[in-house]
Amino acid sequence: METIDITRKGAALEAAAQGRFDSLPIYDRSVECAPREAIEALQLRKLQEQVAYTYRHVPYYRRLMDESGVSPDDVRTLADVRKLPFTDKAVLRDTFPFGLFAVPMEEVIELHSSSGTTGKPIVVGYTRDDMDVWSDCIARLVQMAGVVPGDRAQMAFGYGMFTGGFGLHYGLQKLGCAMIPAGSGNTERHIQMIEDYGTTVLIATPSYAMHICEVGERMGFDWEASTLRVGLFGGEPCPPGLKAEIERRMHIVCTDNYGLTEVMGPGVSGECLAERYQQHIAEDHFLWEVVDPETGEPVEPGGYGELVLTPLDKQAIPVLRYRTHDLTRVHTEPCACGRTTARMEKVRSRCDDMLIIRGTNVFPSQIEDVLTGIDEVTPLYHVVVETVDGMDALTVEAELRPEHFSDSLADMEAIRRKIAEKLRGTLLVGVGVRLVEPGGIERTMGKAKHVDDRRAK
């Protein structure tokens, strides 16, 4: 049977629809297609080594394990990971900046961080070996989408301390792709670059990809005739309807990936073209658990719960049993694409209240802290999140104090702009602000509902 040339626009989805997965690349068959027992044996060996390494080099974990009477020698099976302590974001904040690092800073070649919430951001570091693992994970997931060496990949993520931009950049280069580091913003320039440079891969949040699509249509850009054929999405959930619309209107194949700064960044899992709403976990680098978010106990196989991850190779900042607060299910039966690695269902909700706005994490508590520091408004507020022109839009309704309420439009505009600037400085994302007259925010006897998320689920 003739092999399908997946560098032809639309060919990857055609191959998947025909079940011709032999035409789609697999980055590392020795791991991605290994028998289940071989994967678990590799995980156990790495887990034992990683726990011993962490115990030796990170005093925080050594103290916790000693207090609970657990030693590295107690890890004899994969199930024994449950004897180890959980880690959450608070631990990384409390040990800011380098309290969980296992190596001297001379061995750290790169630092990244989150934007932070109400306190310090979390900071992570990478050794050269960590960077190699990270790049391998990215190369693996982009090949699931049909990316091949020689592709030209245009980056529409911001760079900075955010892990997404650099993570995808390094992994695509390792695969042999030419990177076009366009960065975020300036949509018309992105479209011109796609035309000028023959871009074949676009890296973006799905909402921004939709925005690029719509701007291009208004400019008269012919997406069907363009060189672009793959969209690599991350930074925010991509509802099935949005993905289907982008694929139809831009004539590309779109896939999601999953990751988080605390355990590495993007690359923990990625979507193949067989199971479009599940993502293969890089199980040789991450041991997964799914637990009841209330009790921390494991759910039944295939059950819905909170994803917990233990990186199996991290040197600079090893993390044990990291609670992601993301809710999902994990399936371990082999996939039609040929891979045998476990697949997690795409995360559509969390067991906390975090919002993801255009790829940036936003917490209601951040908004509350900003408003508390502004004399002209009360701490009462309401947040509306909706989709406007294909992109996430966040509007904060802030209640004026009576003494600052005025008929002067100029005075009101000055207050509104002051709030918007302070929110942007904290949230690192543009926010709309609507001023509400005194008493305009509803009072409730129970727990106030601060967020009205009107985006399609």
Side-chain angles (χ1 to χ4, degrees):
M1 188 178 296
E2 184 179 354
T3 300
I4 298 173
D5 177 14
I6 66 163
T7 62
R8 175 174 56 83
K9 191 178 180 79
L13 281 180
E14 292 173 13
Q18 297 171 20
R20 290 291 310 280
F21 296 107
D22 59 305
S23 297
L24 300 176
I26 295 179
Y27 183 71
D28 187 352
R29 289 181 178 273
S30 67
V31 173
E32 296 178 76
C33 303
R36 188 86 222 140
E37 56 271 20
I39 293 173
E40 292 179 354
L42 176 61
Q43 286 181 315
L44 177 58
R45 176 178 63 78
K46 284 192 168 187
L47 175 65
Q48 291 170 326
E49 294 172 353
Q50 187 73 355
V51 172
Y53 173 83
T54 303
Y55 184 85
R56 289 196 306 272
H57 295 286
V58 184
Y60 172 85
Y61 282 117
R62 183 165 59 249
R63 176 178 58 80
L64 284 187
M65 292 173 65
D66 286 348
E67 288 175 354
S68 59
V70 178
S71 78
D73 292 339
D74 293 325
V75 180
R76 299 185 178 90
T77 68
L78 288 178
D80 288 337
V81 71
R82 300 170 197 160
K83 299 176 180 178
L84 303 173
F86 282 119
T87 306
D88 61 18
K89 193 184 291 281
V91 172
L92 283 89
R93 292 198 195 103
D94 292 345
T95 56
F96 176 89
F98 308 130
L100 287 187
F101 279 39
V103 300
M105 287 302 296
E106 290 76 11
E107 296 180 27
V108 175
I109 66 169
E110 189 155 320
L111 289 174
H112 284 278
S113 76
S114 69
S115 59
T117 55
T118 58
K120 295 285 188 180
I122 61 104
V123 177
V124 295
Y126 302 79
T127 66
R128 193 163 300 281
D129 283 344
D130 291 336
M131 296 300 291
D132 286 342
V133 169
W134 195 10
S135 296
D136 276 342
C137 288
I138 296 296
R140 185 182 303 184
L141 74 85
V142 302
Q143 288 239 284
M144 292 183 200
V147 179
V148 295
D151 269 319
R152 301 171 193 176
Q154 186 165 317
M155 178 64 69
F157 281 155
Y159 282 88
M161 298 300 284
F162 169 55
T163 56
F166 281 107
L168 272 295
H169 186 117
Y170 296 141
L172 284 157
Q173 278 192 331
K174 184 163 189 174
L175 181 63
C177 299
M179 286 304 302
I180 304 169
S184 59
N186 201 335
T187 303
E188 292 187 3
R189 178 170 171 266
H190 268 290
I191 295 166
Q192 189 63 53
M193 293 171 77
I194 291 171
E195 184 172 29
D196 290 344
Y197 303 151
T199 302
T200 56
V201 179
L202 176 68
I203 305 102
T205 63
S207 57
Y208 188 58
M210 188 71 245
H211 184 62
I212 291 174
C213 173
E214 292 170 338
V215 171
E217 289 171 344
R218 291 196 292 269
M219 293 169 57
F221 188 76
D222 188 345
W223 288 111
E224 186 173 9
S226 78
T227 54
L228 196 69
R229 74 169 204 281
V230 178
L232 299 173
F233 292 164
E236 65 186 9
C238 183
L242 177 59
K243 174 187 286 186
E245 185 172 355
I246 294 172
E247 289 187 334
R248 177 180 58 82
R249 292 169 64 175
M250 296 185 82
H251 299 273
I252 61 177
V253 56
C254 307
T255 66
D256 294 342
N257 71 80
Y258 172 84
L260 56 165
T261 301
E262 296 87 340
V263 301
M264 183 178 69
V268 172
S269 66
E271 172 194 338
C272 72
L273 299 184
E275 295 285 352
R276 300 302 309 280
Y277 307 112
Q278 298 178 7
Q279 297 169 325
H280 288 271
I281 301 172
E283 288 193 276
D284 50 326
H285 300 304
F286 300 94
L287 180 65
W288 57 268
E289 304 169 69
V290 181
V291 305
D292 183 310
E294 297 295 328
T295 68
E297 293 300 312
V299 301
E300 70 280 1
Y304 192 65
E306 179 184 355
L307 181 68
V308 175
L309 295 170
T310 300
L312 298 174
D313 301 280
K314 288 190 75 174
Q315 294 183 348
I317 179 168
V319 179
L320 301 178
R321 303 191 76 199
Y322 186 78
R323 298 193 67 157
T324 68
H325 300 302
D326 291 325
L327 299 172
T328 187
R329 292 184 181 89
V330 175
H331 306 276
T332 56
E333 65 275 9
C335 182
C337 74
R339 293 175 179 85
T340 54
T341 47
R343 303 183 309 281
M344 56 180 281
E345 294 183 2
K346 292 185 183 180
V347 173
R348 303 298 302 276
S349 60
R350 294 174 53 85
C351 45
D352 61 15
D353 59 356
M354 186 179 77
L355 297 168
I356 300 178
I357 308 297
R358 298 192 293 280
T360 299
N361 296 346
V362 174
F363 290 81
S365 57
Q366 292 175 277
I367 297 169
E368 184 173 330
D369 284 354
V370 169
L371 296 179
T372 299
I374 297 176
D375 293 337
E376 293 86 347
V377 296
T378 74
L380 300 170
Y381 66 97
H382 185 242
V383 177
V384 176
V385 187
E386 46 197 347
T387 302
V388 177
D389 294 331
M391 298 186 70
D392 291 337
L394 185 151
T395 301
V396 175
E397 297 178 347
E399 184 180 276
L400 285 160
R401 295 185 184 277
E403 61 270 30
H404 292 286
F405 184 76
S406 171
D407 291 333
S408 168
L409 294 179
D411 289 347
M412 295 297 93
E413 178 60 12
I415 295 173
R416 191 199 65 78
R417 290 182 60 182
K418 173 183 177 180
I419 297 170
E421 289 172 2
K422 287 184 176 294
L423 286 170
R424 183 178 180 86
T426 297
L427 305 180
L428 305 182
V429 66
V431 176
V433 174
R434 183 181 302 122
L435 297 180
V436 177
E437 70 274 20
I441 298 294
E442 180 184 4
R443 274 64 169 165
T444 63
M445 295 183 63
K447 184 176 181 181
K449 184 178 185 296
H450 290 300
V451 179
D452 180 8
D453 193 340
R454 301 173 183 173
R455 294 174 293 183
K457 301 300 182 184

